[in-house]
Amino acid sequence: MKLNENLSAPAVNDKHTPMMQQYLRIKSAHPDTLLFYRMGDFYELFFEDAEKAARLIGITLTQRGSSNGNPIKMAGVPHHSCDQYLAKLVKLGESVAICEQIGDPATSKGPVERKVVRVVTPGTLTDSDLLPEKSERPLLAVCKSTQRKSVTIGLAWLSMASGALRLMEFGGDAKSVDVRLKQELERIAPAELLAAAEPDTMADEANPAGAGSLRVKATEVPDWHFDTASGEKALLDQLGAASLTGFGAHGLNAAIGAAGALLRYARSTQGKGLEHVRALTVETENEFIGLDASTRRNLELTETLRGQEGTSSSPTLFSLLDHCRTAMGSRLLRHWLHHPGRDQAVASARHAAINALLRTDACDGLSATLASVPDIERITTRIALLSARPRDLAGLRGGMQQLPALRNFVGMCNRDADAPLLQSIADALVTPADCLGLLERAIAAEPAAMVRDGGVIAGGFDADLDELRGLSENAGQFLLDLETRERARTGIANLRVEYNKVHGFYIEVTHGQTAKVPDDYRRRQTLKNAERYITPELKAFEDKALSAQERALAREKFLYEKLLQDLAQHIGTLQTIANAIAQIDTLTALAIHALRHDWCAPQLVANSAIMIEQGRHPVVETTIERFIANDCCLTQERKLLLITGPNMGGKSTYMRQTALITLLAYVGSFVPAHSAVIGPVDRIFTRIGAADDLAGGRSTFMVEMTESAAILNGATANSLVLMDEVGRGTSTFDGLALAWAIAKHLIDVTRSFTLFATHYFELTQLPDAHPCAANVHLSAVEHKDSIVFLHAVQAGPASQSYGLQVAQLAGVPQAVIRAARKHLAMLEAHSIQSTPQLDLFAAGTIPADEGDVDVEEPAVDERSAMLAEAVAAIDPDMLSPREALDALYRLKNLARQ
């Protein structure tokens, strides 16, 4: 709804007060954004904004005065604590326009001049108080181009806090593009999404279940913002380049259009240029190992299955590995975990660097030094946007003072090692002497939090500032010296020189001594027992002293703004340093964890294989006293493992640890195993767990089949697939048939590396007909009526599932367990055959479509055939009740035979 269409936010007209006219003019430019309107020490919200803010963040809604005959609803927050309210609003997906007073109240005849200086949105945050310390909140623009039956999607996304700008473009038919777009939205995880049409629908795609409380804000922008020619010009201007060819972006018209809309929006929110956005990265489809939302969730990379951040009691892979001492390192680690590259050379370079760190035992020294380094990456961004605070610069100064020590540690590690990555990091850690020198001269040792408080610029940096400070700070001594001189000159022993806020400086003389007052004394105030005077000397000092503090603050503000401008030339260097520090911090964290938990360096090879000796789950091994390590061998000749065993036996853990070891190897980390040899991997798929999607109208089984379909349609021979108990959400025979067909497809068609866990023991016959499949099971032993899980993976199928024993462990009442045992015995006694799986896949029971691969099915048992013929001969509609009962007895007798 537009502003002038809303009765609670009136249109601008002459019947409003001048201030309300000003407010409504400004608000009309930001109709869908909350407006923080500065009035003195508060930011005020009016009309509909006030009602909305009061509802969202719990501030008090009031009603003051009237304008145009209507009462003014208003709510406000103190300007000095507005960040906490902004954080709440941004977390709820709201945008806020900050309107400041830019005019001088002393000279303004009407309302003080005001203007919106910036717009705070979820995707354009740079303030440390508003951003999560260890994760990015990127802004994403999506451009969609359709030509006949072909659809092209261009993506451009920017991390405002770091200045990282990336592009991607892909195309195809509408269905495949929609699937790919969903996957990319899940990977990028934007905080805000820009689109010309249907941004809300796209934002919903980027909000996978279990993603926590933060939601993607959808923002619709005009279609002409995505113009390719304008986008190319905006990119060239931003990057200071003559062509996009060198960045690999030539011809990516949809992505370039998205980048143009993105930059236009980002600049409008900041109210200034984006000096820190100086590079462009073009990502390709084959750059990273594919991980869809369910895989990220099931592997618990950065969130638990409940959608929460990891804690000490419920860790995730990220929280477990995050020994980083800087926020930059933590963010890079998170990025690596979500973006494992396919390039083995990149991962191997990180392995070599970690090995060098461990060999020289430099981790403790590096970690201690890194602890003194602030978030240089985000401080640099705030310098570029002229929003850095004094303590940001003091922290930056302290961080750069650690660069020589960091460089020495890195150089020591690389002295006798073949680790080119460490050499490139050392080269980037050269101290920028000019930048550090400027900060050391300009910023006080312990500056105030805000420039307006004073005490930010160091003494000796500016002579004029020192003089003004001297006048203010030395006023007390001047007054004592003046008092001593005047007593001696006048002979008045009780003469006093003092100050108050009403009358300023004065000389006080009692009535009994007024005859001794010199001629240059001018009366300022008469009291009951005394007279107060001013002298030309005291008046001159008063003029200087009373304005000195105000002028000193103004001078400091001028010097500080100039300092930020002078630091702008070092932005590129600071970004390089920040990236190098983040890398060495992340590598050190991985090395520390590998050393503490006895992880090994994986071997990445060109041939297709995943061979893990004594592998362990990286998270589970830290939460239990003794973890049973297991091998996993997948090769070209052994593509699928059918995993059987009891519930709680460790099947899911075994599958997840294989995927996590593979992922960690390509992240560049050591892995929890005795040894690991891993070949090329393009995607990791998981179909684990059972959950419905009520909001999306999908049952548990529908979710299961949707995920299975994505795997069957997207997996290749280099994919790793985890399938856990497929088919359990429907009837036994339907589920078993689907599980058999899916496993067969993965063996015959996809030929992916597959771990297939199931309770359908009938499937254990698949390896008989398919040599590239093998049976393994998680062992357990039964003791009396209880079960002991051994968690060891052994060859061959399991003998039973131990379902009743697990139910007993779960606390199911004994009466229920006894009833279940009795019913189980009856089912087994009345079973038509001792091996029911034989008939399910017997020849003739499952018709094969033309073109299907022939499968050697077991022969039909003769007695089963007799029973089948007897059942087929019965026509229920033609039988009387008595005849039906007789037929039932005949079938029962036949079954007993």
Side-chain angles (χ1 to χ4, degrees), residues 394-424:
L396 177 61
R397 176 185 60 199
M400 286 197 292
Q401 289 169 345
Q402 303 299 322
L403 292 180
L406 284 175
R407 197 161 186 258
N408 286 337
F409 276 120
V410 175
M412 179 180 69
C413 295
N414 196 45
R415 191 168 298 150
D416 301 317
D418 183 18
L421 179 57
L422 290 183
Q423 184 58 54
S424 67

Side-chain angles (χ1 to χ4, degrees), residues 26 29 44 94 157 170 199 268 273 282 303 306 406 503 606 665 727 842 886 892:
I26 296 171
E44 299 289 353
E94 296 294 330
W157 64 101
F170 51 88
S268 70
V282 176
E303 290 181 344
R306 296 180 180 87
L406 284 175
H503 296 97
D886 291 339
K892 185 176 180 181

